[in-house]
């Protein structure tokens, strides 16, 4: 019986390995061979999922931004449900950018490493500035946010 691979899990395993390499050694230390060793798999398997190093880096950067986005989305949803002010939700969202624990420190270092690269790569720059992928630049859809854009606030505390 043939083996069935969980492609999302493999993809995550590889991008997590890239993230660990960036945190420990910087972006320039990332190679397909080092990533394979870090992920505990063969170079061929890594190349099966990513045909080039740039694809691996792009997927890692996208995944890191996605984690941040998911956390901030949760904060906003919870804040709206609990009646928090926009200012409170914004403070909480900005705190998510700060390297206050190991996971956020790793994400911070990855974003920092990619900031320079994004200046020279249209694909990385697109991930960095994609309004649909970044909660602080996304076009708000909630009534409360639209009121703020028009200079009205349903909640005068923030």
């Amino acid at each position: 019986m043939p083996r069935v691979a969980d492609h999302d899990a493999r993809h995550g395993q590889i991008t997590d390995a890239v993230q660990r390499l960036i945190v420990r050694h910087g972006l320039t230390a990332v190679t397909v061979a080092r990533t394979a060793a870090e992920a505990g798999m063969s170079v061929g398997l890594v190349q099966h999922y990513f045909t080039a190093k740039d694809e691996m880096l792009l997927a890692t950067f996208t995944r890191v931004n996605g984690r941040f986005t998911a956390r901030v989305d949760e904060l906003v949803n919870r804040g709206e449900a609990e009646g928090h002010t926009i200012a409170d939700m914004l403070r909480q969202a900005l705190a998510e950018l700060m390297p206050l624990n190991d996971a956020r420190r790793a994400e911070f270092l990855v974003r920092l490493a990619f900031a320079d690269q994004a200046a020279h790569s249209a694909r990385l720059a697109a991930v960095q500035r994609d309004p649909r992928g970044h909660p602080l630049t996304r076009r708000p859809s909630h009534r409360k946010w639209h009121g703020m854009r028009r200079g009205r606030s349903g909640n005068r505390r923030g």
Side-chain angles (χ1 to χ4, degrees):
M1 180 169 206
R3 290 190 304 175
V4 177
D6 181 343
H7 296 290
D8 290 337
R10 286 277 194 219
H11 202 264
Q13 188 178 0
I14 294 166
T15 57
D16 286 348
V18 170
Q19 180 174 327
R20 289 190 303 272
L21 287 171
I22 292 169
V23 168
R24 282 198 314 265
H25 306 291
L27 193 60
T28 57
V30 177
T31 65
V32 173
R34 286 184 183 137
T35 300
E38 180 70 25
M41 61 182 67
S42 70
V43 169
L45 188 56
V46 171
Q47 290 173 327
H48 173 75
Y49 288 95
F50 299 99
T51 58
K53 174 184 168 181
D54 284 349
E55 287 180 17
M56 252 182 358
L57 295 175
L58 182 64
T60 301
F61 191 40
T62 301
R63 188 167 182 194
V64 165
N65 281 340
R67 287 177 184 155
F68 168 72
T69 299
R71 287 196 314 271
V72 171
D73 282 345
E74 175 59 31
L75 286 170
V76 170
N77 291 336
R78 189 173 57 240
E80 287 177 341
E82 296 174 1
H84 292 234
T85 65
I86 292 172
D88 287 342
M89 289 186 278
L90 182 57
R91 272 192 290 278
Q92 291 174 354
L94 290 173
E96 287 298 319
L97 288 169
M98 299 174 66
L100 300 175
N101 61 34
D102 289 342
R104 289 195 300 191
R105 179 181 176 277
E107 289 175 358
F108 175 80
L109 291 173
V110 169
R111 281 192 309 272
L112 190 61
F114 276 101
D116 176 58
Q117 295 296 313
H120 307 287
S121 166
R123 289 177 75 191
L124 291 176
V127 172
Q128 194 172 42
R129 71 173 176 265
D130 181 7
R132 292 165 293 142
H134 195 290
L136 297 180
T137 60
R138 228 181 338 207
R139 181 178 231 174
S141 61
H142 190 275
R143 263 184 310 178
K144 184 190 261 186
W145 294 101
H146 284 296
M148 285 299 290
R149 280 187 29 217
R150 292 185 195 108
R152 298 184 310 269
S153 174
N155 190 341
R156 296 287 178 198
R157 294 181 299 156

